[in-house]
């Protein structure tokens, strides 16, 4: 459960330990840490608190990392937000959105639903995708 930056670090470290135990390469670990950090930081900033912390479940199966984030914050579907205009001048871009864009780029699949007053975000990362990107930039 997370509601502070120290909790985010514990989450990213736990995911790294899980991936390392399953033989994932450094590129996959790096991508997974970025995704967990981005989602967790956003949830803590906008939704999670000591009374309603962010919860993360993670598992490795079939060459994929399966992540499920849950919080009791206000409904927020990151899959419904438009990608930022990366071609626009920085001053002309709206604030935010780059983290969600990054998560979308790294993930194989992202699903959101609101269940029983909770935001439930599921993200799937292919463990070999980061390696593929490393070889074929």
């Amino acid at each position: 459960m997370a509601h502070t930056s120290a909790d985010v670090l514990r989450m990213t470290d736990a995911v790294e330990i899980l991936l390392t135990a399953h033989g994932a390469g450094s590129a996959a670990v790096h991508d997974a840490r970025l995704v967990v950090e981005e989602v967790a930081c956003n949830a803590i900033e906008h939704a999670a608190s000591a009374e309603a912390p962010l919860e993360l479940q993670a598992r490795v199966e079939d060459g994929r990392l399966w992540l499920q984030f849950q919080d009791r914050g206000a409904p927020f579907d990151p899959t419904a937000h438009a990608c930022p205009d990366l071609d626009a001048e920085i001053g002309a871009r709206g604030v935010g959105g780059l983290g969600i864009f990054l998560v979308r780029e790294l993930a194989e699949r992202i699903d959101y639903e609101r269940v029983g007053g909770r935001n439930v975000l599921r993200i799937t990362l292919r463990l070999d995708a980061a390696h593929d990107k490393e070889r074929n930039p």
Side-chain angles (χ1 to χ4, degrees), residues 28-81:
V29 170
H30 177 265
D31 286 0
R33 286 187 69 100
L34 280 174
V35 168
V36 171
E37 182 177 351
E38 183 58 41
V39 172
C41 286
N42 280 344
I44 287 170
E45 182 177 341
H46 300 291
S49 67
E51 299 78 38
L54 174 68
E55 298 175 14
L56 169 63
Q57 297 174 327
R59 72 183 183 351
V60 174
E61 185 177 296
D62 299 327
R64 289 170 172 76
L65 172 64
W66 305 84
L67 301 167
Q68 179 173 286
F69 298 87
Q70 292 187 52
D71 68 68
R72 291 195 177 278
F76 178 73
D77 180 358
T79 67
H81 291 269

Side-chain angles (χ1 to χ4, degrees), residues 13 15 17 37 39 41 45 48 59 68 87 101 115 119 125 133:
D13 286 349
V15 168
I17 290 166
E37 182 177 351
V39 172
C41 286
E45 182 177 341
R59 72 183 183 351
Q68 179 173 286
D87 294 327
F101 173 77
V115 180
N119 292 305
L125 300 172
K133 288 179 195 169

Side-chain angles (χ1 to χ4, degrees), residues 10-23:
R10 281 192 284 281
M11 284 183 164
T12 57
D13 286 349
V15 168
E16 181 173 341
I17 290 166
L18 173 68
L19 288 172
T20 301
H22 283 86

Side-chain angles (χ1 to χ4, degrees), residues 115-133:
V115 180
R118 298 175 75 88
N119 292 305
V120 180
L121 182 64
R122 293 179 188 93
I123 300 173
T124 306
L125 300 172
R126 275 187 38 227
L127 297 182
D128 62 353
H131 180 70
D132 290 347
K133 288 179 195 169

Side-chain angles (χ1 to χ4, degrees), residues 73-117:
F76 178 73
D77 180 358
T79 67
H81 291 269
C83 289
D85 181 0
L86 299 178
D87 294 327
E89 294 293 325
I90 289 180
R93 292 183 198 168
V95 175
L98 287 176
I100 292 170
F101 173 77
L102 174 66
V103 171
R104 285 180 177 168
E105 287 295 302
L106 295 175
E108 177 181 45
R109 183 179 174 106
I110 302 175
D111 296 298
Y112 168 85
E113 62 181 328
R114 184 81 178 170
V115 180

